[in-house]
C-alpha cells in the first residue's frame, strides 16, 4: 500500500497552500519565508528520501551527526513582534476531526511521546479541529538565541546547523532569565509555566531551532516507538484511504496561540503516484487533497472515474 504513494513537502507563511513553496528535501538551500509575523529559513531533512521533487538527495550530511534520527525540521526565525514564551508553540494540527480514525495503540504511543520526546506536549485529539502543540522552548531538541537584526545562515552542503546556546548577547539573555546552558536543562525549564511566562521571543532577535527524532519513518509511513509500531497510512490525517481524498497531509505549525496566527506551516503530503506526472507535478484537482465536493464538477468526475477504475491501487 505504501508503495503506491509518494511524498512531497511544502512550506509557507500560513495554512493556505497557495502561499506554499515546494521544499527541496535534504538540500542545503532553505525555504525562506518573510511575512507580517516572521522572517524564517527552513531546512527539511528526511533519511532515505524517495519523494518529490524527482532527483532529490536521498540523505543529508545532517544524518552523519544524527544517525539515529529519521527526519528533522530545522529553522532559523526572527519574530516581527514579541511573543511570550507560553504562547509560541510547535506541533501538529488538523482542520477536521480525527477522533474516529485514531489507530489502535494511540494512547500508549502518546504516553511514550510525552515521556520520552516532549513532556510539554498538550492538545485535544477529540476536538472538531484537533491539535497537539508543545511550547517551542521545550519541544525543540536544540535552541540557539542569536543577536538582534542577525542572520542565521547555513554553510556548505549542510544547510542550517543549530547549536544549543547562543551568541554573546543571546547567552546573556538566557543567563539573565535563568535558562540552563544544556538541552536537557533548558527543556525542563520551559516545561514550567511560570518560567515560560518570564520568557519573551523578542521582535527582531534571531533564533535557531531544530526538531528531530527517529520515530517517524517516511518511507514505510510508520510510527516506530519502542512500545508500539503503528502503520499510519490509513491514519495519516484521519481521513482514511478512500474514497473521498486522493492525498493525505501531516501538518506541522509554528504558531502564536495568543493570536491564533501561524508563523509558518510545513506540510508532508502523500500523493498517489498516478496523481503525479513524469515531471513530478501534482495533477490538477489533487492539490492539497481537495475533497471531491470542493472541486469543479468536471474535475470531480474525472477523479471519481479514476477511483472506479483503480480501486485495487488504493486498497
Amino acid at each position: 500500500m505504501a508503495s503506491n504513494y509518494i511524498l512531497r513537502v511544502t512550506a509557507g507563511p500560513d495554512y493556505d497552500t497557495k502561499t506554499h513553496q515546494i521544499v527541496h528535501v535534504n538540500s542545503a538551500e532553505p525555504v525562506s519565508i518573510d511575512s507580517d509575523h516572521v522572517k524564517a529559513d527552513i531546512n527539511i531533512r528526511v533519511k532515505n528520501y524517495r519523494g518529490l521533487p524527482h532527483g532529490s538527495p536521498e540523505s543529508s550530511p545532517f544524518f552523519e551527526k544524527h544517525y539515529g534520527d529519521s527526519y528533522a525540521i530545522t529553522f532559523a526565525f526572527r519574530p516581527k513582534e514579541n511573543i511570550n514564551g507560553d504562547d509560541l508553540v510547535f506541533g501538529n494540527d488538523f482542520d477536521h476531526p480525527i477522533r474516529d480514525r485514531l489507530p489502535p495503540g494511540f494512547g500508549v504511543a502518546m504516553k511514550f511521546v510525552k515521556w520520552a520526546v516532549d513532556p510539554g506536549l498538550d492538545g485535544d485529539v477529540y476536538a472538531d479541529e484537533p491539535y497537539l502543540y508543545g511550547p517551542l522552548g521545550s519541544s525543540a531538541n536544540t535552541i540557539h538565541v542569536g543577536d538582534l537584526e542577525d542572520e542565521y545562515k547555513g554553510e556548505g552542503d549542510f544547510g542550517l546547523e543549530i547549536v544549543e546556546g547562543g551568541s554573546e548577547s543571546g547567552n546573556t539573555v538566557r543567563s539573565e532569565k535563568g535558562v540552563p546552558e544544556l538541552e536537557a536543562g533548558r527543556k525542563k525549564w520551559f516545561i514550567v509555566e511560570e518560567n515560560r511566562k518570564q520568557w519573551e521571543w523578542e521582535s527582531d532577535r534571531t533564533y535557531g531551532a531544530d526538531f528531530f527524532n527517529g520515530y517517524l519513518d517516511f518511507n514505510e509511513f510508520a510510527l516506530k516507538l519502542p512500545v508500539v509500531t503503528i502503520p499510519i497510512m490509513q491514519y495519516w490525517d484521519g481521513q482514511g484511504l478512500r474514497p473521498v481524498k486522493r492525498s493525505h497531509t501531516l501538518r506541522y505549525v509554528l504558531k502564536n496561540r495568543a493570536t491564533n496566527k501561524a508563523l509558518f506551516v510545513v506540510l508532508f503530503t502523500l500523493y498517489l503516484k498516478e496523481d503525479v506526472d513524469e515531471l513530478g507535478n501534482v495533477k490538477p484537482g489533487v492539490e492539497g487533497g481537495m475533497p471531491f465536493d470542493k472541486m469543479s464538477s468536471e474535475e470531480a468526475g474525472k477523479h471519481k472515474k479514476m477511483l472506479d477504475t483503480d480501486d485495487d491501487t488504493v486498497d
Side-chain angles (χ1 to χ4, degrees):
M1 181 166 55
S3 62
N4 295 327
Y5 286 80
I6 191 166
L7 179 66
R8 189 178 76 170
V9 184
T10 64
D14 55 42
Y15 293 103
D16 184 357
T17 58
K18 294 178 181 178
T19 69
H20 281 217
Q21 307 170 55
I22 295 174
V23 176
H24 291 264
V25 174
N26 294 329
S27 169
E29 186 67 26
V31 166
S32 295
I33 292 171
D34 194 351
S35 71
D36 292 340
H37 305 296
V38 72
K39 184 174 183 180
D41 290 321
I42 306 168
N43 278 137
I44 304 295
R45 284 86 180 231
V46 177
K47 184 180 286 186
N48 300 320
Y49 185 67
R50 298 195 290 267
L52 299 173
H54 293 315
S56 296
E58 291 187 4
S59 192
S60 161
F62 175 89
F63 296 111
E64 297 173 9
K65 298 184 178 182
H66 297 264
Y67 54 86
D69 297 307
S70 58
Y71 76 107
I73 302 173
T74 310
F75 52 98
F77 69 103
R78 186 194 301 174
K80 295 188 177 179
E81 59 186 352
N82 286 359
I83 305 175
N84 186 259
D86 195 42
D87 293 327
L88 188 62
V89 294
F90 181 77
N92 309 106
D93 58 18
F94 306 84
D95 55 12
H96 50 261
I98 62 172
R99 51 184 172 260
D100 295 330
R101 298 291 305 178
L102 295 175
F106 177 80
V108 174
M110 275 300 300
K111 288 181 180 178
F112 176 82
V113 169
K114 291 197 68 169
W115 172 70
V117 180
D118 186 1
L121 191 66
D122 195 15
D124 185 355
V125 297
Y126 299 99
D128 288 340
E129 295 186 355
Y131 63 93
L132 288 169
Y133 300 143
L136 179 65
S138 58
S139 291
N141 299 75
T142 311
I143 291 287
H144 182 95
V145 181
D147 293 321
L148 293 170
E149 304 292 344
D150 194 13
E151 295 289 336
Y152 198 118
K153 294 293 185 182
E155 296 183 2
D157 295 332
F158 197 96
L160 293 170
E161 183 172 13
I162 311 302
V163 178
E164 185 72 35
S167 64
E168 183 176 352
S169 71
N171 278 328
T172 297
V173 172
R174 288 178 67 133
S175 177
E176 288 176 348
K177 296 293 185 181
V179 179
E181 295 180 3
L182 302 180
E183 172 194 334
R186 181 258 306 159
K187 284 187 170 185
K188 289 180 180 178
W189 190 89
F190 272 98
I191 288 294
V192 179
E193 181 179 356
E194 292 79 4
N195 290 342
R196 292 197 301 271
K197 289 182 175 180
Q198 295 176 34
W199 179 265
E200 289 288 326
W201 301 96
E202 297 178 74
S203 172
D204 290 330
R205 184 179 291 277
T206 299
Y207 301 90
D210 212 345
F211 178 84
F212 50 82
N213 62 62
Y215 301 124
L216 192 55
D217 187 324
F218 282 102
N219 290 308
E220 296 184 22
F221 305 131
L223 181 64
K224 296 181 175 181
L225 303 175
V227 293
V228 65
T229 294
I230 300 175
I232 59 174
M233 273 296 303
Q234 63 265 48
Y235 310 110
W236 181 270
D237 59 359
Q239 292 295 291
L241 291 179
R242 61 180 235 171
V244 179
K245 296 183 74 176
R246 303 277 299 182
S247 66
H248 303 268
T249 296
L250 179 65
R251 184 165 69 195
Y252 284 87
V253 59
L254 180 67
K255 186 173 189 176
N256 182 346
R257 62 181 172 189
T259 62
N260 202 34
K261 297 293 185 181
L263 276 69
F264 66 73
V265 175
V266 177
L267 298 179
F268 293 82
T269 304
L270 297 174
Y271 294 99
L272 278 172
K273 288 181 178 179
E274 65 197 57
D275 287 337
V276 177
D277 68 23
E278 62 275 10
L279 298 178
N281 300 311
V282 178
K283 296 176 182 178
V286 183
E287 195 74 32
M290 186 180 293
F292 290 145
D293 61 1
K294 302 297 183 184
M295 298 181 189
S296 69
S297 57
E298 180 180 356
E299 286 294 336
K302 178 176 69 175
H303 287 290
K304 286 179 180 178
K305 184 177 180 180
M306 291 174 68
L307 274 177
D308 291 339
T309 58
D310 294 332
D311 254 354
D312 290 341
T313 305
V314 294
D315 273 339

